[in-house]
Amino acid sequence: MKKLFLFIAVLFAISNLTAQIYDPVSFTTSVKEIGENKYTLVITAKIDKGWHVYSQNVPDGGPAPTSFTFQPSKNYKKTGSVVEPKGHEVDDPVFQMRIKYFEDKAVFTQNIERKSADAFTIDATVFFMVCNDNSCLPPSEKEVKFTFKKSDIPVKTEETAKAVTDTKDTDSIQNTESITKQDTTNNTTNSVSTAGTDAPKVSDNTEKTPSAADESLWTLFFFSFLGGLAALFTPCVFPMIPMTVSFFTKQSKNKAAGIRNAMMYGIFIIVIYVILGSMVTAIFGADALNALATNVVFNIVFFLLLLVFALSFLGAFEIVLPSSWLTKIDQKSEIGGAFGIFFMALALAVVSFSCTGPIVGTLLVQAASQAGIAPIVGMLGFSLAIALPFTLFAAFPGWMNSLPKSGGWLNSVKVVLGFLELALAFKFLSNADLVLQLHLLEREVFLAIWIAIFTVLAFYLFGKIQLSHDTPSTHISVGRLSLGIVVLAFVVYMIPGLWGAPLQYISGFPPAKQYSESPNGFGNAIIQNTDKTALPEGAESGPNGIPTFHNYDEGLAYAKKVNKPIMIDFTGYACVNCRKMEERVWPDPKVLAVLNNDVVLISLYVDDKRPLPKEEQVVSKITGKVLKYTGQKWSELQILKYKTNAQPYYVLMDHNEKDLNKPSAYNPDINAYYNWLQEGIGNFKK
């Protein structure tokens, strides 16, 4: 029963994983000598399958063209402009124009004349936009370098003074800043453009992205591994351990052969589930976007999917694959050798599907909303946990004597997992309600549902409720009693939340306190800034009673009026980590004092589905489609200016919309967050 605690961690923690922006293009450089002191700089773009990068020459109103900026230097002089490959020219249905683009690989070249015999480096920047058939990523910059060693060949130096000027004059490609400013001029009525004129260099963000992505994947791997451990203690998998290990030890000529076959069996289990993860990656696309986490259809579909999984675990029906599949697989497994062992592993996956399917499905639901190889990583962690016992018990068969005997407790594990799946399902339904702002599943209703679910689970663990397929028992084990007490304590902990208690241990799962029938608690027990006359015009009482603007222009105007710095809060209604910051970090007295008194808070919800007024519906610079919703407008601002789409994302800026310090993402360290606030405010006062 102890493994059930681990699976609880799985179901709750994997929901907090944050998707990262996928990076489907990489660049490499080389230098080719073409004559005396004459060279060709070669920039090779490797483009992931399904993606394409656009030409340097794109009609107005289309996607961002590829451009190259070379750092001027007295050591070289450009000759001509960047030459691009032939590429593909098509009538693009999205941008409704004829556009040239490149797939798989694109080689760009720039000729130069060397002006110095000394060793030097040419720094260059590539600005580009990458799309696939479904979506586009925000325009991005990448820095590249070309290194020249010291030369023994003398070079002319009379033109070196002119080299910098020539380089600037011959460079016909616009850099990112000039493109952004030109777009801003063309759309002066758009608040997104007004706020996004001076985009910071991408290098600041891209240095952090790989480590953040790696951390997210490692987190997914860890919790998927825990999910695999939980799957072991189900009635479809657990009894297979001694049966399978006994088969290998008895059928093998010696112990070494038995261990080798068991290891092969475990490896094939991993291969089968990793293939499943690869299939999900192919179906969803390696570009699974952060938008999935707040997409209404996505959340409703997976609410229904997890509801089906929960009912299956509770015994309403079994999710089974066609019996003909198992028959064919069993026939193949009798062949022997590696081929037969592979089909034995496949038979385990098929036979255990009714138990492992819901767990695998839950993990894949989470992994599918992350970019890149997340489903593959998730299945690697899950299958490794499944495969390890078969190998270890084959190597040390004496350990099997310590295994508990199969019995009714296995079905109890399955039922408990069903209750947990049911609770998690309502989180997805809550996300959809939050995004649409329907107020059908407000905080009190959500908590009431969870209290009911976990109360019934506690009664089940105490033996007061039995399901039709349970084995009758006259007593309960110590482990089951202990888990029942933990669940009952969790229920008691949630009850005060109905009257406004913060519930920090599950913050981010229930809707925020302001999304409630009683935002100030039952009987206005929570002291908030509810005096409408005390609030600035256009503001409302936000999290923890902080005066909050949701209109960018109104917040900016008020900040100028009261001479305070602005804090932009890029957030989302369905953002778990946003709620954690608001419920764990912001209530700290020193942080709350700053947010109430020293800054003007503007919260921009990127998943706000309210329609934009017609006069504000402009064409996106990223996708070329019309921005119809308020959230799309704020998401566009965040992507264009800060090259990120993850929330929460906090920016401190002055009245000229210049950043006061480096923006901050999710940071549960209260002191670090407070110091970040003080740093920005201090820079504002200078």
Side-chain angles (χ1 to χ4, degrees):
M1 300 299 291
K2 291 189 293 183
K3 299 301 180 184
L4 291 176
F5 292 99
L6 296 177
F7 191 74
I8 293 174
V10 176
L11 291 179
F12 286 99
I14 57 179
S15 296
N16 299 335
L17 301 177
T18 303
Q20 303 296 323
I21 298 178
Y22 188 59
D23 186 11
V25 183
S26 60
F27 292 91
T28 57
T29 61
S30 61
V31 178
K32 180 179 179 182
E33 188 173 4
I34 57 175
E36 184 177 346
N37 296 319
K38 296 184 185 296
Y39 299 85
T40 297
L41 308 181
V42 181
I43 301 176
T44 302
K46 184 179 179 182
I47 308 165
D48 287 356
K49 187 177 174 127
W51 294 90
H52 49 263
V53 172
Y54 293 98
S55 166
Q56 299 175 92
N57 302 304
V58 174
D60 292 339
T66 301
S67 63
F68 302 85
T69 303
F70 295 88
Q71 187 67 29
S73 170
K74 65 180 181 180
N75 296 312
Y76 77 99
K77 174 184 176 181
K78 291 190 344 180
T79 56
S81 57
V82 176
V83 177
E84 64 184 25
K86 184 177 180 181
H88 305 278
E89 195 166 344
V90 297
D91 293 319
D92 192 285
V94 176
F95 295 103
Q96 297 181 347
M97 60 178 65
R98 192 158 186 82
I99 303 178
K100 178 180 176 182
Y101 65 84
F102 313 106
E103 292 181 319
D104 300 326
K105 179 180 177 182
V107 179
F108 302 88
T109 59
Q110 169 69 59
N111 290 337
I112 67 162
E113 181 180 351
R114 184 169 185 165
K115 292 293 184 180
S116 171
D118 297 332
F120 64 92
T121 298
I122 299 177
D123 295 317
T125 302
V126 185
F127 176 79
F128 64 98
M129 181 172 175
V130 58
C131 299
N132 63 13
D133 292 337
N134 299 317
S135 59
C136 294
L137 297 183
S140 182
E141 281 183 338
K142 287 195 177 178
E143 297 177 354
V144 295
K145 293 184 178 182
F146 304 88
T147 303
F148 287 80
K149 296 181 180 179
K150 187 173 182 179
S151 174
D152 296 329
I153 303 175
V155 297
K156 297 179 181 180
T157 59
E158 56 266 19
E159 291 182 86
T160 39
K162 189 182 176 183
V164 174
T165 305
D166 289 341
T167 304
K168 290 181 180 178
D169 292 341
T170 56
D171 188 6
S172 60
I173 309 302
Q174 293 180 315
N175 60 24
T176 308
E177 184 175 348
S178 63
I179 289 175
T180 307
K181 287 183 177 179
Q182 181 179 355
D183 288 341
T184 304
T185 303
N186 294 335
N187 296 283
T188 54
T189 60
N190 184 7
S191 298
V192 172
S193 301
T194 303
T197 51
D198 293 310
K201 290 183 179 180
V202 181
S203 56
D204 289 341
N205 274 331
T206 54
E207 287 176 2
K208 295 174 62 178
T209 300
S211 61
D214 291 344
E215 182 181 350
S216 180
L217 289 176
W218 276 111
T219 304
L220 175 63
F221 176 85
F222 174 72
F223 286 110
S224 297
F225 185 84
L226 293 183
L229 292 180
L232 282 173
F233 289 85
T234 59
C236 310
V237 180
F238 187 80
M240 298 292 290
I241 298 175
M243 292 171 55
T244 305
V245 172
S246 297
F247 172 81
F248 284 128
T249 54
K250 291 179 181 179
Q251 295 298 319
S252 303
K253 296 180 180 180
N254 51 58
K255 182 178 180 180
I259 295 174
R260 184 178 64 251
N261 290 338
M263 289 182 63
M264 193 180 303
Y265 182 74
I267 291 171
F268 282 140
I269 291 174
I270 295 173
V271 169
I272 289 167
Y273 280 102
V274 168
I275 290 174
L276 175 62
S278 302
M279 291 171 60
V280 171
T281 302
I283 293 171
F284 278 87
D287 62 316
L289 299 178
N290 188 48
L292 279 178
T294 56
N295 182 276
V296 174
V297 175
F298 174 90
N299 280 281
I300 292 177
V301 166
F302 284 112
F303 161 71
L304 296 174
L305 185 63
L306 293 183
L307 189 61
V308 171
F309 289 161
L311 294 176
S312 173
F313 268 155
L314 293 174
F317 50 82
E318 283 195 1
I319 303 174
V320 295
L321 297 176
S323 58
S324 58
W325 292 14
L326 181 58
T327 301
K328 292 179 181 179
I329 292 170
D330 277 339
Q331 292 173 352
K332 297 289 185 182
S333 65
E334 296 174 359
I335 297 175
F339 192 74
I341 294 175
F342 171 81
F343 278 95
M344 285 184 64
L346 185 59
L348 172 68
V350 174
V351 169
S352 64
F353 184 79
S354 61
C355 292
T356 60
I359 301 175
V360 169
T362 304
L363 293 172
L364 288 177
V365 164
Q366 299 297 329
S369 63
Q370 288 186 257
I373 60 172
I376 300 175
V377 172
M379 288 300 94
L380 179 61
F382 177 85
S383 58
L384 183 62
I386 295 286
L388 274 177
F390 293 95
T391 303
L392 292 176
F393 283 115
F396 307 99
W399 289 4
M400 287 196 295
N401 295 329
S402 62
L403 283 178
K405 295 182 180 180
S406 299
W409 68 271
L410 287 174
N411 183 71
S412 298
V413 172
K414 192 176 175 181
V415 171
V416 171
L417 297 181
F419 279 106
L420 296 178
E421 293 266 4
L422 184 61
L424 185 59
F426 279 96
K427 174 56 184 170
F428 285 95
L429 186 62
S430 173
N431 286 345
D433 180 66
L434 283 165
V435 171
L436 294 175
Q437 289 288 285
L438 298 177
H439 289 268
L440 298 177
L441 200 61
E442 293 181 320
R443 183 179 177 88
E444 292 90 346
V445 178
F446 182 93
L447 287 174
I449 292 172
W450 268 33
I451 289 170
I453 291 173
F454 286 100
T455 298
V456 175
L457 173 58
F459 277 107
Y460 175 81
L461 290 170
F462 291 140
K464 300 301 181 182
I465 297 175
Q466 283 193 344
L467 300 179
S468 59
H469 56 300
D470 283 330
T471 302
S473 177
T474 57
H475 66 280
I476 60 174
S477 65
V478 173
R480 184 164 174 167
L481 175 64
S482 300
L483 183 59
I485 293 173
V486 170
V487 173
L488 184 59
F490 181 57
V491 171
V492 174
Y493 171 77
M494 286 191 292
I495 291 174
L498 296 172
W499 287 271
L503 305 182
Q504 290 193 9
Y505 286 113
I506 58 171
S507 61
F509 284 90
K513 285 185 286 186
Q514 60 265 28
Y515 193 78
S516 168
E517 293 180 9
S518 302
N520 302 316
F522 184 74
N524 291 324
I526 302 174
I527 300 175
Q528 296 271 17
N529 188 358
T530 56
D531 184 2
K532 297 295 182 181
T533 60
L535 289 171
E537 184 178 355
E540 63 180 55
S541 183
N544 304 288
I546 302 167
T548 306
F549 289 88
H550 296 300
N551 182 288
Y552 183 95
D553 295 325
E554 289 180 353
L556 177 61
Y558 180 74
K560 292 178 179 179
K561 178 181 177 181
V562 298
N563 194 31
K564 291 182 181 180
I566 302 153
M567 189 176 103
I568 302 295
D569 167 29
F570 289 104
T571 184
Y573 291 114
C575 171
V576 173
N577 284 339
C578 303
R579 301 294 84 76
K580 285 187 176 182
M581 290 294 292
E582 294 165 5
E583 296 173 14
R584 297 185 182 183
V585 178
W586 288 13
D588 181 82
K590 58 179 178 290
V591 173
L592 188 59
V594 172
L595 296 178
N596 266 319
N597 305 315
D598 299 336
V599 299
V600 173
L601 177 62
I602 304 177
S603 293
L604 306 178
Y605 287 82
V606 299
D607 53 4
D608 190 339
K609 296 300 182 182
R610 290 178 301 165
L612 280 169
K614 286 292 184 181
E615 61 272 15
E616 294 185 33
Q617 293 185 9
V618 298
V619 176
S620 167
K621 303 185 186 74
I622 300 171
T623 64
K625 298 179 180 179
V626 175
L627 301 176
K628 297 181 179 179
Y629 302 107
T630 301
Q632 291 177 323
K633 176 181 178 179
W634 305 136
S635 179
E636 175 110 338
L637 167 61
Q638 184 186 5
I639 292 172
L640 285 179
K641 189 169 184 180
Y642 298 104
K643 304 298 187 292
T644 182
N645 65 353
Q647 292 82 43
Y649 196 76
Y650 306 107
V651 181
L652 285 170
M653 67 183 193
D654 61 18
H655 301 156
N656 295 319
E657 303 170 66
K658 301 289 186 182
D659 295 347
L660 294 169
N661 55 358
K662 197 170 187 177
S664 173
Y666 172 68
N667 185 359
D669 186 328
I670 294 175
N671 288 329
Y673 190 77
Y674 174 75
N675 292 336
W676 172 79
L677 288 169
Q678 291 297 331
E679 178 191 32
I681 295 170
N683 291 335
F684 175 79
K685 294 178 179 179
K686 289 180 180 179

